[in-house]
Amino acid sequence: MESATFRDQVVIITGASAGIGHAMAVQLARQGARVAIAARRAECLEELAAACRASGAEVLVAPTDVGEESQCKALVDNTLSTFGRLDMLVNNAGLAASALFDDYHNLDLFRHTMDVNLFGAVNCTYYALPYLKQSKGRILAVSSLGGKTAIPYNTPYCASKYGLHGFCDALRMELKPHEVSVTVVCPWWVATEFHAAQLNKDGVPRGAPRGKDYYTSKTMTADRCAEIALQAAYKRRREVLMGPGLLAVWLKLIAPGFLDWLSIKIFLEPAARRAREAQAKRE
Ligand SMILES: NC(=O)c1ccc[n+]([C@@H]2O[C@H](COP(=O)([O-])OP(=O)(O)OC[C@H]3O[C@@H](n4cnc5c(N)ncnc54)[C@H](OP(=O)(O)O)[C@@H]3O)[C@@H](O)[C@H]2O)c1
């Protein structure tokens, strides 16, 4: 049993059909929590529910598109009618579109990223808040280091995650009198479907990661990331940076120009080269 225990607590997890959200659901179920699992892919949620129930947990399967406000309201309403209370909301659902900003054909992908990563969290939080105030509960947001220091080739993603930080930081202060905590965790590189699901400028998932070295033995697993995130929420911490997060944030403070140079070398130049190669292959 994990040290952070959410026994008997009712938890909504968005983006539970895969990756970090899936791992959190499994861990919470093992800890004796009652979980409402939300994402778009119902069949993945059913499989997860079976695994959680095998650990003795009560589970609500709630197919939800968090970009749709009415579906987020339904998620909260169904959780309340099933379990009668709410102790934690995990805003984890997320995706990335990855291209140069001026290569997008229009702003649809930008808006879609904002709808899921930022408004998905805003929608769910809005409807969950009355119940979280009653339980003096917790909000856990899964952001990214891309919400602390910008990553070129990822303008929609960074805009959505920076927005998520602003939303959570302001909300934390507003909720202080109600004893509801707001924790933001910023993973770095986690081995999940996230990277293959990244959309290119045409809205097409870029597919399986390139090369066997894409994930190394040092890449964080979804399980480890989930464990850190749940611990942080349990301890009601405000923000947790993973991987090189602290270094990046310090560099941004003391040498922002150098950090830009580094990010161009690490992210922009290789991404632009890969896009050129893919284009050449298509022609
Ligand atoms: N993996 C990393 O390296 C990394 C690094 C930093 C931050 N993060 C953040 O961690 C969070 C989880 O990502 P992950 O790595 O676990 O990725 P993942 O394996 O691709 O999982 C993403 C989850 O989000 C759900 N989702 C996507 N669009 C949705 C929508 N419109 N409505 C409801 N659910 C939706 C997906 O489910 P459906 O497709 O079934 O809807 C899936 O369950 C994201 O917020 C991401 O930004 C990840």
Side-chain angles (χ1 to χ4, degrees):
M1 171 96 35
E2 288 84 347
S3 56
T5 176
F6 287 89
R7 176 174 295 284
D8 294 330
Q9 300 216 347
V10 176
V11 183
I12 292 177
I13 309 159
T14 69
S17 62
I20 300 163
H22 185 286
M24 284 197 270
V26 169
Q27 291 178 21
L28 285 164
R30 284 197 199 125
Q31 292 178 20
R34 292 172 282 169
V35 289
I37 50 177
R40 290 163 306 172
R41 285 171 293 172
E43 67 289 1
C44 299
L45 294 178
E46 290 294 351
E47 276 175 34
L48 170 62
C52 293
R53 288 182 185 124
S55 341
E58 289 176 58
V59 185
L60 169 68
V61 172
T64 308
D65 182 337
V66 296
E68 298 291 333
E69 183 182 336
S70 58
Q71 295 190 29
C72 297
K73 181 179 185 310
L75 167 64
V76 174
D77 288 348
N78 291 341
T79 303
L80 262 292
S81 54
T82 305
F83 297 125
R85 57 180 290 133
L86 178 63
D87 299 285
M88 178 157 78
L89 168 67
V90 181
N91 286 314
N92 165 74
L95 58 85
S98 210
L100 289 177
F101 180 64
D102 67 1
D103 275 352
Y104 288 110
H105 305 296
N106 53 48
L107 292 176
D108 291 355
L109 279 173
F110 204 111
R111 283 208 180 83
H112 178 58
T113 309
M114 299 297 280
D115 278 345
V116 175
N117 295 4
L118 175 58
F119 278 98
V122 171
N123 292 337
C124 292
T125 303
Y126 183 75
Y127 292 103
L129 215 45
Y131 309 106
L132 291 171
K133 283 182 182 171
Q134 277 169 18
S135 63
K136 299 190 192 319
R138 295 168 166 85
I139 296 169
L140 168 60
V142 181
S143 179
S144 166
L145 289 189
K148 296 296 288 182
T149 63
I151 306 168
Y153 228 72
N154 283 275
T155 47
Y157 187 70
C158 291
S160 68
K161 295 294 190 181
Y162 268 66
L164 183 62
H165 278 264
F167 171 63
C168 289
D169 287 350
L171 192 65
R172 182 182 300 111
M173 292 184 265
E174 292 182 17
L175 293 180
K176 221 174 169 55
H178 303 281
E179 299 177 54
V180 178
S181 54
V182 180
T183 299
V184 184
V185 294
C186 303
W188 171 231
W189 205 246
V190 187
T192 66
E193 291 175 7
F194 180 80
H195 304 278
Q198 259 181 36
L199 303 171
N200 68 15
K201 68 182 168 68
D202 303 312
V204 177
R206 74 177 187 189
R210 314 159 302 273
K212 60 179 169 33
D213 297 334
Y214 191 78
Y215 298 128
T216 70
S217 58
K218 293 203 176 88
T219 309
M220 187 178 275
T221 61
D223 273 344
R224 180 66 187 133
C225 183
E227 201 179 336
I228 294 170
L230 291 177
Q231 283 275 355
Y234 183 71
K235 292 181 178 163
R236 298 185 185 272
R237 291 182 64 183
R238 49 187 301 133
E239 187 173 275
V240 169
L241 306 174
M242 302 183 202
L246 202 55
L247 177 66
V249 169
W250 270 105
L251 273 180
K252 189 177 171 183
L253 264 182
I254 60 171
F258 174 68
L259 185 60
D260 283 359
W261 176 84
L262 206 59
S263 300
I264 288 168
K265 289 283 160 210
I266 294 175
F267 299 108
L268 186 56
E269 288 180 357
R273 193 180 58 243
R274 279 195 305 275
R276 277 196 305 274
E277 285 166 3
Q279 182 68 31
K281 250 189 207 166
R282 280 195 296 272
E283 285 165 1

